[in-house]
Amino acid sequence: MEKIGIDVHKKESQLCIITEEGEVIEQRIRTERGRFAEVLGARGKAKVLMEASTESEWVARCLEELGHEVV
């Protein structure tokens, strides 16, 4: 299972994905539902760790709808 860390901000969020093979992928994306779906929707189920912030509640729900486990 992949591990994903997300630093959520109002306009942009920083993602760090650790694949099952140990590859580290870092990416900055717009903090928008559609953008999270584009980047993380096609990936297999992952464990996602997010910081608590103003935007984190809706982002967590969005990621859970995409099939990920959010901590």
Side-chain angles (χ1 to χ4, degrees):
M1 178 183 290
E2 291 186 333
K3 309 285 190 281
I4 302 173
I6 304 177
D7 186 13
V8 180
H9 294 275
K10 187 173 183 171
K11 293 183 180 184
E12 291 188 326
S13 295
Q14 182 72 31
L15 281 64
C16 181
I17 302 168
I18 301 175
T19 68
E20 292 181 2
E21 295 77 27
E23 178 185 4
V24 176
I25 302 167
E26 292 190 58
Q27 185 174 5
R28 183 172 285 277
I29 65 170
R30 299 276 308 160
T31 304
E32 299 171 345
R33 180 176 294 275
R35 191 67 180 121
F36 280 107
E38 284 177 30
V39 174
L40 301 176
R43 302 191 84 85
K45 181 177 179 177
K47 183 171 277 192
V48 181
L49 178 64
M50 296 179 19
E51 67 168 339
S53 71
T54 304
E55 307 296 320
S56 62
E57 187 62 35
W58 74 260
V59 172
R61 284 193 306 267
C62 172
L63 297 174
E64 289 171 342
E65 290 170 6
L66 295 172
H68 301 295
E69 177 185 343
V70 181
V71 179

